[in-house]
Amino acid sequence: MSEHKGIWVIAEKTPENQIAGVSLELVNAAKGLSQKLSGEEVGVLLLTGNDDVEPLLKELSEAGAQKVYLVRDENLERYSTELYSKAACDAITQKKPSIVLIGATTTGRDLAPRISARLNTGLTADCTGLDINEQGLLAATRPTFGGNLMATILCKTCRPQMATVRPKVLPKAEPDTSNSARVEKLDINLDPSAIKVKILECLNACQSAGCKIEDAEIIIAGGRGIKNAEGFKILEGLAESLGGAVAASRACVDAGWRGHCDQVGQTGKTVCPKIYIACGISGAIQHLAGMNSSDIIIAINKDPEAPIFQVATYGIVGDLFEVVPALTEAIRNSRLTCSC
Ligand SMILES: Cc1cc2nc3c(=O)[nH]c(=O)nc-3n(C[C@H](O)[C@H](O)[C@H](O)COP(=O)(O)OP(=O)(O)OC[C@H]3O[C@@H](n4cnc5c(N)ncnc54)[C@H](O)[C@@H]3O)c2cc1C
């Protein structure tokens, strides 16, 4: 175990060939952890195809990475579970970091358990906080029992210590143009013929207009109270007036009113916007697990006993078909007044 040193972030790229926000947040968090570990190296593992790698290295350097371990291979052009986990495991086995952090995104949630299982180590998934305890161990905190308790989990006997962390719960640092990360290319042998799954085409299953819910600062979410797919139109009006995105509870996704990419909750996405407006959502623990770290929660529900009111910052007891259009109109009018 003593051979393992340093804190790694496995970087995720966006389809636009940028570093995902959560990876930059994790580099910043790794800097904080490093200070508590006598300045252990903050490294980033970047797995990429033959795209232009310079903008990615610049972003990671400005985020505060001290070293970038670069694996470039045409087979890593697109994310593939098998090839990415093989490349990451080989890189970790070569360099022996003590801590490995990954964003709790769809990709990260797919990749991290594969790596931890292959390396026979522990993984704390979906964390909201990271620290170093008195023994110098990673103390990874995550909600449990549907968000009613916070558990801090240690990995005492295996290395690396691994955690996935929810996007937007940890702050990003301002870019530091004076930092210059060293780059080390790693030689990893990837044999695509050994891979069982071949990716032929990537389709965007999310047909929703506007920004993605995981990036939105304001989310208007609809639940079964919205009644049908048509009902979401009034939420889209409110989202448009506020510059937000529309999300849904699982009940709506199961009913086919919205796509799965809009689902918030335990089996959907975890979001952390500045404002989350829950319309006709009862507040089941599986839904709360995906949104209860939002800064401000506004609940609109006709049932005053609905559990959503227990987590809401502000509550409106009423019929959403009256409240939401009134709210939208008031916001549009106030915008008009402001611009005058
Ligand atoms: C393993 C597992 C995983 C799950 N994962 C998820 C998940 O990821 N995300 C998720 O959301 N759920 C998830 N669920 C389902 C979850 O338990 C709930 O069933 C679901 O969240 C309920 O959705 P809802 O609040 O939209 O519907 P309901 O619970 O039916 O609530 C509808 C609400 O709308 C209100 N309402 C009705 N009409 C109006 C009106 N006109 N105006 C105002 N209010 C109105 C009602 O008072 C009620 O509170 C999961 C369940 C399990 C077992």
Side-chain angles (χ1 to χ4, degrees), residues 223-225 227 249-251 263-268 280-284 286-287 300-303 306 318-321:
R224 211 191 315 256
K227 290 195 171 48
S249 72
R250 177 164 159 178
Q263 183 184 317
V264 170
Q266 189 181 309
T267 43
I281 293 179
S282 59
Q286 296 89 354
H287 186 82
I300 305 170
N301 198 304
K302 65 181 183 185
D303 174 8
D319 186 335
L320 71 91
F321 292 99

Side-chain angles (χ1 to χ4, degrees), residues 222-227 248-254 257 260 263-269 276 278-291 300-309 316-324:
R224 211 191 315 256
I226 220 83
K227 290 195 171 48
S249 72
R250 177 164 159 178
C252 304
V253 174
D254 286 350
W257 304 344
H260 184 259
Q263 183 184 317
V264 170
Q266 189 181 309
T267 43
K269 286 179 182 162
Y276 188 90
C279 308
I281 293 179
S282 59
I285 52 169
Q286 296 89 354
H287 186 82
L288 301 185
M291 47 62 79
I300 305 170
N301 198 304
K302 65 181 183 185
D303 174 8
E305 303 298 326
I308 191 78
F309 288 124
I316 303 172
V317 178
D319 186 335
L320 71 91
F321 292 99
E322 292 167 15
V323 177
V324 173

Side-chain angles (χ1 to χ4, degrees), residues 184-239:
E184 180 177 337
K185 289 188 181 156
L186 299 183
D187 203 11
I188 306 279
N189 187 21
L190 294 174
D191 175 9
S193 67
I195 302 303
K196 296 181 200 86
V197 177
K198 289 206 169 36
I199 299 177
L200 303 178
E201 194 183 354
C202 290
L203 301 172
N204 186 3
C206 189
Q207 301 300 331
S208 324
C211 70
K212 291 197 245 161
I213 59 170
E214 55 271 41
D215 299 330
E217 297 210 323
I218 300 178
I219 291 178
I220 325 296
R224 211 191 315 256
I226 220 83
K227 290 195 171 48
N228 49 41
E230 272 293 289
F232 274 91
K233 289 217 169 107
I234 60 164
L235 302 192
E236 277 157 13
L238 182 56

Side-chain angles (χ1 to χ4, degrees), residues 10 17 19 45 47 63 67 70 81 98 113 118 131 144 154 174 193 222 229 237 265-266 273 286-287 315 317:
I10 301 187
N17 200 36
I19 300 294
L45 176 64
L47 307 170
K67 194 158 186 184
L70 177 64
T81 309
S98 173
R118 284 185 188 195
D131 203 354
T144 186
L154 308 175
E174 285 300 316
S193 67
Q266 189 181 309
Q286 296 89 354
H287 186 82
V317 178

